[in-house]
Amino acid sequence: MKTFTALRSLLAATLLAGMGASGVGVAQTAQATPPDAGPMQALQSAHWIGEGSTHPRHVLYVFVDANCPFCHKLWLALQPYYRDGLQVRDVLVGVIGPSSPGKAAAILEARDPGAALQQNELTWGRRSDGGGGVAPLAQPSQIDTAVLAHDQALMQAFGFPGTPGIVYFDARGQAHGAEGVPGAAQLAQIVQAASVPVSATPAPGRRAAVSPR
């Protein structure tokens, strides 16, 4: 697992440059600055889709690609934790294959993005292009393209070369992360250590309601 305190400057520089072009801003709050305010505010700017508890005791941010087999494996592994107060905030990117951006856009544009994301996983591997089960949009909108570019830049700023990438905050507000699919014991430790972010104020932008499990 990694910590992200040293990445504050990189996150600020990378994201402020990217957000200026896309029109998405870093969240501003009136609260005292937490220990890892840079990573926390950066994640608040992401367009995440929530799964799990609507009154969480544990929160994970997960960078996912609709076609990523390891993301699918992690999605399956996290299911049992939802009844224990876990909320997962999925941040979509489109980096695995040609249909990845279209599938991510289809999920973002769905009437219920959480249900669309769940359908993508429940019907995994049933399409001829492999990967997630949702049909990709042929031409993602400029808004969706900007959202995916922003969230990909965020993923890379956190040092994840690909998906999945997990980010969470401990009880002191320190940011931690894990790449790939943790083993069962490590995943249990991560969920247990993950606290609800010190600042829960979301940034302005499209964000799906949490889909309870």
Side-chain angles (χ1 to χ4, degrees):
M1 290 185 286
K2 61 175 72 175
T3 58
F4 297 113
T5 302
L7 291 178
R8 291 183 192 174
S9 297
L10 174 62
L11 282 164
T14 301
L15 293 171
L16 286 175
M19 290 171 194
S22 64
V24 181
V26 175
Q28 301 295 325
T29 73
Q31 301 180 20
T33 302
D36 276 2
M40 189 175 293
Q41 289 185 342
L43 284 170
Q44 288 168 357
S45 76
H47 290 63
W48 50 264
I49 297 172
E51 297 184 276
S53 175
T54 55
H55 300 285
R57 295 186 296 111
H58 310 285
V59 171
L60 300 179
Y61 289 87
V62 183
F63 291 97
V64 299
D65 185 300
N67 283 327
C68 171
F70 301 105
C71 299
H72 178 61
K73 183 177 180 181
L74 179 60
W75 184 86
L76 292 171
L78 287 170
Q79 298 302 302
Y81 292 100
Y82 290 138
R83 61 175 175 265
D84 296 326
L86 173 66
Q87 182 183 107
V88 173
R89 299 176 178 180
D90 294 300
V91 182
L92 295 180
V93 296
V95 296
I96 294 295
S99 66
S100 291
K103 289 184 180 182
I107 294 170
L108 290 171
E109 292 287 350
R111 179 173 299 181
D112 184 343
L117 179 60
Q118 183 180 29
Q119 185 66 19
N120 184 76
E121 304 304 323
L122 292 175
T123 57
W124 178 265
R126 297 183 187 178
R127 294 187 55 80
S128 60
D129 62 354
V134 300
L137 292 184
Q139 293 184 327
S141 69
Q142 290 184 338
I143 292 176
D144 291 330
T145 299
V147 166
L148 294 175
H150 167 271
D151 291 344
Q152 182 178 341
L154 179 59
M155 178 183 75
Q156 293 170 342
F158 271 103
F160 297 123
T163 55
I166 303 171
V167 181
Y168 64 96
F169 298 88
D170 61 26
R172 297 181 299 168
Q174 297 290 342
H176 304 268
E179 298 179 26
V181 184
Q186 184 184 10
L187 185 60
Q189 292 175 352
I190 288 172
V191 172
Q192 186 61 36
S195 295
V196 176
V198 174
S199 173
T201 304
R206 184 176 55 200
R207 182 169 282 100
V210 175
S211 295
R213 293 286 182 269

